[in-house]
Structure formats: structure tokens, C-alpha cells
Amino acid sequence: MDESPQGEVTLLLAAWRDGDPDALNKIMPLVYAELHRIARRTWSQQAQNNTLQPTALINEAYLKLANAESTSFKDRCHFFAVACSAMRQILVNHAKSRLTEKRGGARAHVSLDEVQPVHQEAAEIVALHEALEALQAVDPRKSRLVELRYFGGLSIEETAEVMGVSVRTVNRDWRLARSWLIRQMNRESS
């Protein structure tokens, strides 16, 4: 039996899946620092006037995870992948609500050349989300990779671990996905 924190998280996730309601409360202290790191990295990519702070992002993601009835996490990596998805959805929902508050929320070009792009406006987040949905229809693996890297802030190595592929595959898919998304977003903004 694995006594490491990763092994403990996996065991607690199995207990939670099997119906132990206290397991999630035991998991959170073990994963909080990592979730906060992901949330901070994700938050740092947002516009400076973003009102959704990293702690609020974690809290909302925690509530989403805690209320997910059908989610059965295979292991720690799967848990973080789902947490990244939850954070993405929270950020997109927040961006959409900010767009409805503003008049004329025009779409803007998003640079995907860097893992940590320059600050973005709400319209850029929504545009990226829509392009990712289109990529999901064409290539789900690349869409998932972008979600983990861009919204989740995972490194190449962490992404490879979560996805169960090699670092080389992640690097190749990352380049292809960025190119595809840039073309898609440029097409949509025209």
C-alpha cells in the first residue's frame, strides 16, 4: 500500500467513491496547496480587474467537486484533471457574466504562443472556450491537453502524467492544438 500523500489521496478518493462522505473532507487538506497553485497560475493569466480571486476559484471548484454525484475519480491525477475542468467552467461562466454586464463585449485575439499568456479580457476567455469546444469535436485529446495546460496551468510533465501519455506526445499535441486554436479563433473573429 502506498503511504505517500499521492497514495493517500488515491485511497481517500476510492473511499469517497464507495460512499464515505468524510473522505472528501480528508482529501482537501492534502490537495489544497496544489489546487491553490493551479488557481493562482490560472488567475494570473486573467485580466487585472478580474474579481474572481484564486481562493474563490478553489472554493467554487471544491463545491462543484463535492456536489458531483456521478464522478468517480480513478486516482489523484484524475481528480486534478476534473478540478481543472471545474476551474475552466467557473472562469468561463464568470467571463460570460462579465460580458453581459458590459455593452458590446467584442471578441479579441488570444495568444497561445506562451503557456502563461498576457492578461485577457472576458471575451477572450469565452472565445477560447468556444474554440476548445470545436476542437473537442475534432480531437478530444488535444482539447483536454489545452484545458489542463492553459486553464489548469499544469506543466508538460504534469499534463503527461494526468493524460497517461509521454512528454513527447504532450509537446507535439500542444504545438498542434495551439496552431489549430489560433486558426479557429481567427476564423471566428473575422
Side-chain angles (χ1 to χ4, degrees), residues 22-108:
D22 294 328
L24 183 61
N25 293 330
K26 294 175 185 173
I27 291 169
M28 285 314 289
L30 298 173
V31 298
Y32 186 84
E34 183 68 13
L35 286 174
H36 201 271
R37 181 189 68 81
I38 292 169
R40 253 191 345 265
R41 191 182 284 172
T42 301
W43 182 79
S44 73
Q45 297 173 11
Q46 307 308 308
Q48 291 191 17
N49 62 353
N50 190 353
T51 58
L52 189 62
Q53 297 291 316
T55 302
L57 183 58
I58 292 170
N59 291 340
E60 286 193 43
Y62 173 80
L63 290 173
K64 250 181 156 16
L65 294 170
N67 293 325
E69 295 176 15
S70 63
T71 304
S72 56
F73 302 104
K74 292 180 263 182
D75 56 23
R76 180 180 174 278
C77 288
H78 185 228
F79 175 82
F80 281 109
V82 173
C84 287
S85 292
M87 287 187 206
R88 170 187 171 194
Q89 195 57 54
I90 292 162
L91 287 169
V92 169
N93 290 344
H94 185 70
K96 284 179 178 180
S97 71
R98 289 179 63 211
L99 279 178
T100 58
E101 292 170 5
K102 294 179 181 181
R103 290 181 176 235
R107 294 179 190 220

Side-chain angles (χ1 to χ4, degrees), residues 97-171:
S97 71
R98 289 179 63 211
L99 279 178
T100 58
E101 292 170 5
K102 294 179 181 181
R103 290 181 176 235
R107 294 179 190 220
H109 178 73
V110 177
S111 171
L112 293 174
D113 292 331
E114 299 293 324
V115 174
Q116 296 185 10
V118 295
H119 295 295
Q120 305 158 27
E121 294 299 324
E124 295 172 320
I125 295 169
V126 173
L128 176 58
H129 170 71
E130 290 170 356
L132 272 175
E133 286 182 336
L135 180 57
Q136 171 71 25
V138 175
D139 192 331
R141 185 176 81 187
K142 286 183 183 70
S143 175
R144 184 75 173 139
L145 182 145
V146 172
E147 180 178 71
L148 293 171
R149 296 272 294 133
Y150 191 82
F151 286 97
L154 299 185
S155 69
I156 293 284
E157 293 76 16
E158 291 166 329
T159 303
E161 181 184 351
V162 167
M163 295 183 70
V165 297
S166 71
V167 168
R168 198 167 150 169
T169 298
V170 170
N171 279 321

